[in-house]
Amino acid sequence: MKKTLNVIMLLVAISMLMSSCYTQKYMVGEGSQTGVETKEKNNYFLFGLVDGKISDPTNMADGVENYSVTTEMTFVDGLLSALTWGIYSPTTTKVEK
């Protein structure tokens, strides 16, 4: 029984260490023109199953027609997710005008 529990704990630890940051990037129109950047956090709960506050890239662009959007789980976001065991899983959205 103890050996089985140790194996399970080891597998959980390895799976948490092997998770990585991810990045999703796309351009609207011709992409960034001026280099002005705006950042907002997105809040997800229960391993991403429940949405909290989610940023809107269109509103973040302030009416500009050409901009780039990057949504990523940064190291800090991943650390917060790991410390809360996935109960809180933030991501960061950057809009570059």
Side-chain angles (χ1 to χ4, degrees):
M1 177 70 178
K2 187 175 181 180
K3 183 177 180 180
T4 304
L5 183 60
N6 286 340
V7 169
I8 290 172
M9 289 180 65
L10 178 65
L11 290 174
V12 168
I14 288 172
S15 67
M16 288 183 72
L17 291 173
M18 292 181 71
S19 66
S20 63
C21 302
Y22 66 86
T23 302
Q24 178 185 15
K25 193 174 207 175
Y26 60 94
M27 293 187 323
V28 176
E30 306 232 349
S32 173
Q33 303 294 316
T34 63
V36 177
E37 195 173 275
T38 306
K39 287 185 185 182
E40 284 188 19
K41 288 285 189 192
N42 305 308
N43 300 317
Y44 299 99
F45 302 95
L46 300 177
F47 307 101
L49 296 173
V50 179
D51 295 344
K53 178 186 163 282
I54 300 176
S55 61
D56 182 9
T58 306
N59 289 340
M60 292 171 64
D62 294 326
V64 176
E65 293 183 13
N66 301 312
Y67 56 94
S68 299
V69 180
T70 304
T71 303
E72 63 185 342
M73 179 174 268
T74 63
F75 175 77
V76 174
D77 295 338
L79 182 63
L80 286 171
S81 181
L83 290 175
T84 61
W85 292 85
I87 294 172
Y88 173 62
S89 303
T91 60
T92 302
T93 299
K94 281 192 283 187
V95 172
E96 190 173 339
K97 303 175 201 172

